Amino acid sequence: MKVETLPEEIKREIERLVEELNYHCYRYYVLDSPVISDEEYDRLYRRLKELEEKYNYVLPHSPTQRVGAPPLDKFEKVRHKIPMLSLDNAFNYEEVREFDERTKRFLGTDAEIEYTVEPKYDGLAIELTYRNGMLYKASTRGDGYEGEDVTQNIKTIKSVPLKIAADVAVPEEIDIRGEVYMNVEDFEELNKSREAAGESLFANPRNAAAGSVRQLDPSVTASRKLHLACYGVGAYRGIEFSSQWEFIQWLKKARFPVPAYLKLCKGINEVLEAIEEISEKKSEFPFETDGVVIKVNSFELQSRLGVKTREPRWAIAYKFPAHQGTTVIKEVIPSVGRTGIITPVAIFEPVRIGGVIVSRSTLHNWDEIKRKDIRIGDTVVVERAGEVIPHVVMVVKDKRTGKEKIPEIPERCPVCGSKVVRPEGEVAVRCIGLDCPAQVKERLKHFASRNAMDIEGLGDKNIELLYKEGLIKSFVDIYRLKKEDLLRLPRFAEKSAQNLIDAIQRSKNTTLSRFLFALGILFVGEYTAKLLARHFRSIEDLYHVSEDRLLDIPQIGEKIARSVAIFFNDKKNLETLEELKRMGLKISNPDYREEKAEQPLKGLTFVITGTLPKPRKEVEEMIEALGGHAASSVSSKTDYLIVGDSPGSKLRKAEALGVKTITYDEFLKMVGEA
Ligand code: IVH
């Protein structure tokens, strides 16, 4: 058996590719100014991956090491060497001036103090520990003293360097602090797809970022668009910094992402000018910022100032006047969505906030109501930040009279009267009425929407109308609509009726991924629909599909598998699909990837022991791809043990159990690869 040895030039090529790819990653994700095309990047990445696998030589800071870590059972605790503190707030310029005066008084000086000014990021604070330049650990802030080890998740964030760039002084060890955050646009996109899949929504970008980092499965974190801004240093050894400014300059050279705005100011007047400047710029930032952080620049002065209980004396956060108002909750009404999720919606005494009248806002779910202790009749603070939908920030408890009522989870659906259920472990409350008009209408709206069947002209208003008139109650009814039906309605004239009929006709030619998304199967958003289309040739191949078959697709978990299997094993659903086909629906599937039809290893279980010429994972994947099963330990159910160099105890066990043993070459012959 021949083990591929590592020629010097291959080693150098791998090392060069890692450096090169990391540099391009930095250009793209940190500087936002790539110098090569995505295709070129992918090509280099594929080349690296190929070499790494072939020669089994993987550098710890290789870009391939960002993904693929297995899910955890729980997070390990991490103690911060220096506590991660919070910040005192200033709500107006006067309070910022008072901070400056306090600082001078404490230091016993009249001289102007140097401050740095940066935006305040609203995300999740984390600490990155680098040892000899390599990312060693990433942890959340937790209670400030002890956080959670989220290293595998943080590694998936492309702007986080896995290794400190060699063209700066590299400390023996350093704890770098920053904020993981999500841009507003990506947050809205994420919520949109969660809504489409019937999942609960994140209340704001901060919750979305925090929820994405505190994930046991790193592949979920990897799928979220997260960013990092580094703004602070904890413990360090083997390097010297004399100020915040100097530290940030070092971060920049070391290719870390730093705050989008940073200014060194002499005296408090310059600080206030910088705050003004950020206030003007902030709408151009892609992320949400609710304030500005002002820090004494000199580290020497910082340590003289020290900390109060939870906050340093050397920094303060100036908070922008929020777009907030107070109003009274008149009632809380349950609103039913397409997947039956019932959402509590607060109806307010109308109030003007930032130039817009706000009269309602979602309260997300009943857990959130409980957490914020929101009651009907309460006076609440409502916020409308940017384009984000208004939300209740908090209850003004001083205004309580005792007459306020706790909103109750409805026992029956407010629209159809069916029983309401709350699946264990879920915050969502659902109506299980199959023909619930609210669900039916929402399902129809989803079916016709742009990314689904894309029926132009069949928007929310027309669906409400056609449903009310009894013309459409199901997907099939849409294709039964006739021009005459429409012409009888006041909203339609000859031309508009014809346009709608034409659009419906056009939608009959669709793709499997669109169609699957349009069906509105619980937990099947656009991404999952594409995934299914990639693995199933046609809609018929999904009929009666089993949960196990779906679980064979690596990205599909139990929740989705169960939901899809239930859908495609339901007789009524299958009848609907057949009826749609009879109405002329044509479903093409450009996403389908032909897999090797041959399954020479079908039904056979393999175990590997010792070193093979190829990485074990690759051989296991090959076994699975050819229909076999790769197990990790030998038992009486094992058909073959593949024996490599220096085999372990598995060989003895196999011999004892009478399991057949083969060499790697024999295995290759078996699958026709030799
Ligand atoms: S300095 C003790 N700088 O705000 C110094 N913090 O309310 C605290 N934050 O826990 C860190 N942007 O999560 C600093 N530019 C910035 C920040 C920032 C956001 C967060 C951080 C901190 C919280 C305090």
Side-chain angles (χ1 to χ4, degrees):
M1 214 175 311
K2 185 173 129 274
V3 176
E4 306 256 15
T5 46
L6 182 61
E8 195 56 30
E9 71 266 20
I10 296 291
K11 190 170 161 214
R12 272 202 303 274
E13 183 176 358
I14 290 182
E15 284 161 2
R16 208 192 52 236
L17 280 167
V18 168
E19 293 306 318
E20 212 173 316
L21 283 160
N22 281 342
Y23 176 70
H24 290 305
C25 220
Y26 160 70
R27 297 284 321 195
Y28 190 95
Y29 291 100
V30 178
L31 298 183
D32 199 9
S33 106
V35 283
I36 59 169
S37 68
D38 294 2
E39 290 73 30
E40 181 63 7
Y41 182 91
D42 291 343
R43 199 186 61 74
L44 293 171
Y45 187 95
R46 276 198 306 274
R47 171 78 184 145
L48 173 63
K49 183 119 184 133
E50 195 183 293
L51 291 176
E52 286 180 342
E53 279 169 8
K54 184 156 173 208
Y55 295 96
N56 214 354
Y57 180 64
V58 185
L59 295 171
H61 60 295
S62 163
T64 61
Q65 299 308 295
R66 289 190 186 272
V67 288
L72 300 172
D73 295 328
K74 65 174 179 49
F75 294 116
E76 297 297 329
K77 295 266 180 262
V78 179
R79 263 204 105 67
H80 302 297
K81 289 177 222 94
I82 298 176
M84 292 177 77
L85 303 169
S86 51
L87 287 167
D88 203 0
N89 290 323
F91 292 98
N92 51 51
Y93 288 1
E94 204 36 53
E95 290 178 8
V96 177
R97 286 188 186 283
E98 281 165 21
F99 161 73
D100 178 53
E101 278 153 25
R102 269 200 311 275
T103 308
K104 284 181 178 160
R105 217 178 310 128
F106 196 97
L107 294 172
T109 177
D110 280 336
E112 297 272 49
I113 294 183
E114 248 183 11
Y115 294 103
T116 58
V117 174
E118 346 164 334
K120 185 166 194 296
Y121 282 79
D122 204 9
L124 181 72
I126 57 152
E127 180 166 85
L128 305 169
T129 301
Y130 287 82
R131 280 198 181 158
N132 297 317
M134 303 298 280
L135 176 60
Y136 165 71
K137 194 163 276 181
S139 52
T140 61
R141 172 172 182 261
D143 62 6
Y145 300 97
E146 193 176 73
E148 289 172 327
D149 184 338
V150 288
T151 313
Q152 295 306 340
N153 294 347
I154 294 300
K155 272 188 176 174
T156 68
I157 303 173
K158 304 281 204 332
S159 54
V160 174
L162 299 178
K163 181 183 175 199
I164 296 176
D167 36 0
V168 290
V170 176
E172 273 163 63
E173 182 157 327
I174 187 166
D175 291 338
I176 294 167
R177 292 165 176 189
E179 200 90 352
V180 171
Y181 63 95
M182 196 179 277
N183 285 338
V184 176
E185 215 171 276
D186 296 327
F187 156 73
E188 281 166 0
E189 205 50 47
L190 173 65
N191 258 356
K192 234 190 258 163
S193 72
R194 287 179 71 86
E195 185 167 29
E199 294 167 330
S200 54
L201 303 188
F202 288 114
N204 50 46
R206 181 171 53 80
N207 285 6
S212 303
V213 172
R214 299 194 63 259
Q215 267 292 338
L216 291 168
D217 183 354
S219 72
V220 176
T221 314
S223 73
R224 306 274 167 83
K225 295 196 172 132
L226 296 170
H227 298 266
L228 173 72
C230 296
Y231 49 62
V233 63
Y236 54 90
R237 256 189 308 131
I239 195 165
E240 282 308 319
F241 300 113
S242 65
S243 67
Q244 170 76 2
W245 184 259
E246 191 188 323
F247 168 65
I248 300 272
Q249 299 315 314
W250 178 85
L251 279 180
K252 272 203 226 172
K253 281 212 202 81
R255 300 187 188 166
F256 283 82
V258 296
Y261 176 105
L262 179 75
K263 197 149 209 170
L264 184 60
C265 302
K266 198 156 180 69
I268 206 65
N269 287 329
E270 281 187 28
V271 168
L272 295 174
E273 279 166 31
I275 293 178
E276 282 285 309
E277 207 181 323
I278 295 183
S279 310
E280 278 162 30
K281 281 217 168 88
K282 83 181 209 292
S283 61
E284 292 162 27
F285 293 152
F287 52 89
E288 226 171 52
T289 169
D290 60 345
V292 171
V293 182
I294 301 140
K295 298 172 186 167
V296 169
N297 185 40
S298 151
F299 282 173
E300 204 243 326
L301 294 187
Q302 283 191 7
S303 64
R304 268 173 62 194
L305 286 155
V307 296
K308 296 183 275 185
T309 5
R310 300 281 298 160
E311 299 127 8
R313 276 194 205 88
W314 46 263
I316 199 160
Y318 165 79
K319 291 299 203 66
F320 293 123
H323 288 268
Q324 291 186 337
T326 46
T327 182
V328 173
I329 297 185
K330 290 200 296 190
E331 55 176 329
V332 173
I333 57 164
S335 153
V336 190
R338 160 173 70 83
T339 56
I341 290 189
I342 303 183
T343 310
V345 174
I347 307 294
F348 306 130
E349 226 37 280
V351 55
R352 184 182 283 274
I353 303 174
V356 175
I357 303 283
V358 177
S359 57
R360 51 159 58 210
S361 115
T362 170
L363 298 176
H364 302 289
N365 56 59
W366 272 272
D367 276 9
E368 183 82 358
I369 293 185
K370 207 160 143 194
R371 201 175 62 75
K372 288 187 177 160
D373 188 17
I374 295 171
R375 302 183 191 175
I376 299 162
D378 263 340
T379 299
V380 289
V381 177
V382 179
E383 184 173 288
R384 224 192 104 251
E387 296 307 308
V388 181
I389 43 172
H391 70 279
V392 173
V393 180
M394 56 175 239
V395 173
V396 188
K397 296 218 169 121
D398 292 351
K399 297 248 169 121
R400 281 210 172 137
T401 63
K403 287 203 187 116
E404 293 76 15
K405 282 209 314 257
I406 296 176
E408 304 233 357
I409 300 179
E411 276 173 28
R412 300 203 161 267
C413 170
V415 180
C416 73
S418 294
K419 271 267 284 288
V420 155
V421 296
R422 180 169 188 172
E424 209 172 309
E426 268 191 46
V427 287
V429 171
R430 290 178 199 274
C431 156
I432 52 165
L434 275 180
D435 303 312
C436 171
Q439 286 185 55
V440 173
K441 276 190 282 186
E442 292 306 313
R443 267 207 299 275
L444 289 168
K445 286 177 195 170
H446 173 75
F447 184 81
S449 67
R450 170 102 50 92
N451 295 350
M453 300 303 275
D454 192 19
I455 307 178
E456 218 188 308
L458 199 56
D460 293 5
K461 280 209 181 102
N462 279 340
I463 285 179
E464 291 284 345
L465 174 72
L466 296 173
Y467 184 86
K468 199 175 93 214
E469 294 293 329
L471 285 168
I472 52 170
K473 288 202 193 67
S474 68
F475 301 154
V476 176
D477 289 342
I478 295 178
Y479 295 99
R480 290 204 182 105
L481 273 180
K482 292 197 192 55
K483 197 165 142 194
E484 302 84 79
D485 299 331
L486 298 176
L487 284 173
R488 276 192 277 111
L489 305 173
R491 270 179 80 91
F492 287 94
E494 175 64 30
K495 187 151 188 300
S496 52
Q498 188 59 49
N499 284 346
L500 181 52
I501 296 291
D502 289 348
I504 291 173
Q505 208 55 31
R506 270 199 308 276
S507 79
K508 285 182 179 173
N509 283 314
T510 188
T511 63
L512 186 58
S513 62
R514 269 181 183 275
F515 185 60
L516 287 171
F517 175 60
L519 290 173
I521 303 164
L522 193 58
F523 306 129
V524 179
E526 274 175 284
Y527 171 76
T528 305
K530 257 235 153 26
L531 207 60
L532 290 170
R534 230 175 259 166
H535 286 84
F536 291 86
R537 187 191 306 269
S538 65
I539 188 85
E540 292 82 5
D541 283 359
L542 275 155
Y543 287 9
H544 305 292
V545 69
S546 72
E547 244 177 272
D548 282 346
R549 167 71 184 88
L550 291 160
L551 284 171
D552 281 345
I553 302 174
Q555 297 94 323
I556 287 189
E558 274 170 31
K559 214 167 76 171
I560 299 176
R562 189 166 318 128
S563 164
V564 174
I566 289 176
F567 185 93
F568 284 102
N569 282 278
D570 181 279
K571 206 164 140 248
K572 255 176 90 178
N573 284 347
L574 298 185
E575 277 168 21
T576 301
L577 299 179
E578 284 300 301
E579 184 63 23
L580 284 171
K581 274 165 42 190
R582 272 196 294 279
M583 311 286 309
L585 204 72
K586 294 268 178 301
I587 310 167
S588 62
N589 188 5
D591 296 307
Y592 183 65
R593 299 229 183 114
E594 197 83 41
E595 276 163 53
K596 261 210 186 137
E598 272 176 76
Q599 297 226 306
L601 304 184
K602 203 170 167 137
L604 296 178
T605 298
F606 291 80
V607 175
I608 301 170
T609 182
T611 316
L612 303 183
K614 286 227 167 146
R616 182 174 293 201
K617 233 174 106 197
E618 206 173 293
V619 179
E620 286 174 349
E621 267 171 31
M622 186 166 159
I623 294 170
E624 303 269 346
L626 296 170
H629 175 59
S632 56
S633 61
V634 174
S635 75
S636 58
K637 290 197 195 107
T638 312
D639 293 294
Y640 292 97
L641 178 72
I642 305 176
V643 185
D645 281 350
S646 2
S649 62
K650 289 178 199 166
L651 180 57
R652 253 173 290 134
K653 188 158 179 204
E655 281 164 356
L657 290 172
V659 170
K660 271 175 262 169
T661 59
I662 52 172
T663 63
Y664 182 65
D665 288 339
E666 284 169 326
F667 165 74
L668 289 182
K669 277 204 197 96
M670 206 169 156
V671 299
E673 297 263 328

